[in-house]
Amino acid sequence: SQQGEEDPQALSIQEGENATMNCSYKTSINNLQWYRQNSGRGLVHLILIRSNEREKHSGRLRVTLDTSKKSSSLLITASRAADTASYFCATDVLEGAQKLVFGQGTRLTINP
Amino acid sequence: SQTIHQWPATLVQPVGSPLSLECTVEGTSNPNLYWYRQAAGRGLQLLFYSIGIDQISSEVPQNLSASRPQDRQFILSSKKLLLSDSGFYLCASRQTRNEKLFFGSGTQLSVL
């Protein structure tokens, strides 16, 4: 079953604007990760935020985590056409198997 | 960092034919290995994961099986393909839980 659910499913904005994607999950986690996928390619890791962290930055990326609401957000600032891709959140569950469970993803389109 | 080799990039197979997809990993030892499947425009479904040689966990009952005959080799197989086995298959690796995944470039399988 899917652990993470992204919102919105698709997002289209103008170059230079900020893009925000949200992720909700169901069970307790060790960490939450965000990945990017260009069409027809493998996924690339963007950022990992641990359950005891609330915010993390990497370049133009900002990730927040609210464990009380079981939700996370990914903000891409000053978007570029090259940011066009699908973005997925994934959760490392707290107990049990060593698996990373992915959501359905957000398809982001940056219009030049 | 790790490099994931996955082949072939595309594969067209008739219904009822066998399947063997191979994934090999460079740059690490004793990794956790994963097979995911992705339907067009959808998220990743975890199929199998392995924490060691001959240690395979199946996530979803299906027409597929996985084997790990060597430390850095992970094989996805089927004796008889179904139409529903079509999809984009991704192999991934990480050193241990709570770390990021490295992905291969994927195999697009079309069963006709």
Side-chain angles (χ1 to χ4, degrees):
Chain A
S1 63
Q2 297 295 336
Q3 162 78 317
E5 295 295 335
E6 285 91 341
D7 170 55
Q9 292 187 356
L11 179 62
S12 181
I13 61 174
Q14 294 301 120
E15 195 167 21
E17 295 180 339
N18 295 341
T20 299
M21 289 159 272
N22 302 297
C23 169
S24 60
Y25 58 93
K26 299 175 182 176
T27 63
S28 297
I29 61 172
N30 280 310
N31 66 72
L32 186 143
Q33 304 180 30
W34 285 90
Y35 289 80
R36 166 194 167 124
Q37 183 183 35
N38 287 83
S39 182
R41 309 290 296 274
L43 280 72
V44 175
H45 181 263
L46 294 176
I47 197 164
L48 180 154
I49 186 165
R50 303 195 185 281
S51 60
N52 61 353
E53 298 175 309
R54 291 297 167 258
E55 188 171 311
K56 204 162 184 179
H57 297 255
S58 176
R60 293 184 295 113
L61 305 180
R62 173 179 169 254
V63 169
T64 62
L65 179 64
D66 187 336
T67 53
S68 66
K69 296 181 179 179
K70 290 186 169 57
S71 67
S72 173
S73 67
L74 170 67
L75 169 67
I76 303 175
T77 61
S79 64
R80 305 166 181 170
D83 294 328
T84 294
S86 292
Y87 293 82
F88 296 88
C89 70
T91 50
D92 250 320
V93 297
L94 183 60
E95 296 178 355
Q98 299 192 29
K99 58 185 182 181
L100 197 59
V101 181
F102 285 78
Q104 295 296 312
T106 293
R107 174 67 188 171
L108 175 64
T109 301
I110 309 299
N111 302 302
Chain B
S1 66
Q2 303 176 30
T3 302
I4 316 302
H5 299 282
Q6 196 180 339
W7 66 91
T10 58
L11 189 61
V12 180
Q13 292 285 100
V15 170
S17 63
L19 173 73
S20 181
L21 299 180
E22 186 168 342
C23 168
T24 60
V25 181
E26 286 185 4
T28 186
S29 59
N30 196 29
N32 292 344
L33 299 176
Y34 303 80
W35 278 111
Y36 288 90
R37 178 171 61 197
Q38 185 179 30
R42 302 297 301 276
L44 275 68
Q45 178 187 33
L46 179 62
L47 302 177
F48 300 95
Y49 66 96
S50 170
I51 61 172
I53 294 175
D54 295 330
Q55 298 180 66
I56 311 293
S57 296
S58 174
E59 283 295 295
V60 181
Q62 56 214 333
N63 187 41
L64 303 169
S65 62
S67 62
R68 184 172 177 176
Q70 299 181 42
D71 180 45
R72 290 173 291 172
Q73 183 185 30
F74 204 23
I75 298 171
L76 183 70
S77 302
S78 173
K79 293 182 179 178
K80 289 185 177 181
L81 284 169
L82 306 173
L83 288 173
S84 57
D85 291 325
S86 294
F88 190 51
Y89 287 82
L90 289 157
C91 178
S93 170
R94 64 178 178 177
Q95 190 57 47
T96 185
R97 70 185 308 166
N98 300 324
E99 293 188 4
K100 65 181 181 182
L101 279 175
F102 294 88
F103 279 86
S105 54
T107 295
Q108 183 64 53
L109 172 66
S110 298
V111 182
L112 304 176

